[in-house]
Amino acid sequence: MTPLSAIGWHWTPATLPPAWAALGAAHPQARPARVVEQHRSGYRVSEVIDVVHPAESLPEWQRAGSYRKGEINPEARPAVGDWVLVEGSAPKSLRIVALLPRFSAIKRGAAGEHYRQQVIAANIDTVFVVCGLDGDFNPRRIERYLLLVGGSGVQPVIVLTKSDKPEAEVEAALAALRTLDVPVLALNAKDPASASALAPWLAAGQSIVLVGSSGAGKSTLTNTLLGNEKMKTGAVRERDARGRHTTTHRALMALASGACLIDTPGMRELKPTGEEDVAESFADIETLAQQCKFRDCKHANEPGCAVRVAIASGVLEAARVDNFLKLEAEVAGAANQLATRLAQKAQARVQGKALHKRLDAKYDRH
């Protein structure tokens, strides 16, 4: 295993993606490194397992991302898991000169009133959606996570922690997720033998990100997989089994298996970006919807609604259909916001070019 492959590098010179090879040719003195930490003040990158250095970023990345004319879209800035080209020597003169195109990215709509995308992790092979088998267990929130992951090119795996519950409770939770067409595992995040069930996704060269709410057991599972208490963990509140933020930033860590693991802070707000495919995440409902009497059926009170018939007969869970309709509306709203932002940016670009053309003609500039 080469130093780079230990932190997730998949490629040989012959298999390097063309866009990556072109950027390498444009920066012949640069070499690849991976973003392993992202902070408000900058980035930390790695070229060798367990060796991390700060790296100066491009000037345009040092300002908040924006969809305004001439500014960098928020999602186009580096995130944990990104591969970049660096020049200089560590630890004091290392600088990033280019961002290599991503082959996958997990994104969400950032919190707040204004539309903005946030990259949770980039260049990921598998996402572990971690949910505790206590007050944290919520099938609807798991469906929301799967919606954000869907279409990203990343394999989702649902990991139910705190499986030291009565067997009936564990079986009920597994049954509630049976309609989801993804692997579901129940395990004890504190027990290495139990966590070994995740081994099929932790092969050398693989990159995995853990997502889930605070208190779900992400940091506990990370420590178990690492074999040491690297990540801070905290107790959950007894009244509602909710946790506090113990992970404060995203960070990439290398496992003994050769895989890379990214732990993330708990996310209480999971807004879609508008790029998601709801039909893909709810294929069972979409299949039934094709049997509805009306093509524009809202699955409410319309006659001949196959979805409502399936609910009445127990084939579909009403709460799952309600979540489908809610997420469908949210994605449509976010898609409209995204289209508006991009149209405004494109229009500003056109107006800017027209202005420069008029000024050139007026002052006879060529």
Side-chain angles (χ1 to χ4, degrees), residues 47-71:
E47 300 176 69
V48 180
I49 186 171
D50 292 334
V51 178
V52 180
H53 295 293
E56 181 183 346
S57 65
L58 294 176
E60 55 265 34
W61 295 342
Q62 296 173 14
R63 300 185 296 270
S66 172
Y67 294 98
R68 295 176 181 174
K69 175 197 170 186
E71 297 187 8

Side-chain angles (χ1 to χ4, degrees), residues 64-74 114 341-342 344-346 348-349:
S66 172
Y67 294 98
R68 295 176 181 174
K69 175 197 170 186
E71 297 187 8
I72 303 295
N73 290 0
H114 300 291
R341 297 294 184 275
L342 295 178
Q344 289 172 342
K345 191 169 187 176
R349 189 180 301 115

Side-chain angles (χ1 to χ4, degrees), residues 133-190:
L133 285 170
D134 49 14
D136 180 61
F137 182 69
N138 185 334
R140 306 289 80 83
R141 188 168 68 249
I142 291 174
E143 290 170 352
R144 185 176 283 268
Y145 272 114
L146 294 180
L147 175 68
L148 298 184
V149 174
S152 64
V154 179
Q155 166 69 56
V157 177
I158 299 172
V159 181
L160 303 178
T161 61
K162 308 176 186 179
S163 64
D164 54 339
K165 299 287 181 183
E167 185 177 350
E169 291 185 26
V170 177
E171 289 300 322
L174 293 173
L177 303 176
R178 203 156 284 153
T179 58
L180 304 179
D181 188 24
V182 298
V184 182
L185 293 84
L187 52 82
N188 182 348
K190 297 180 180 180

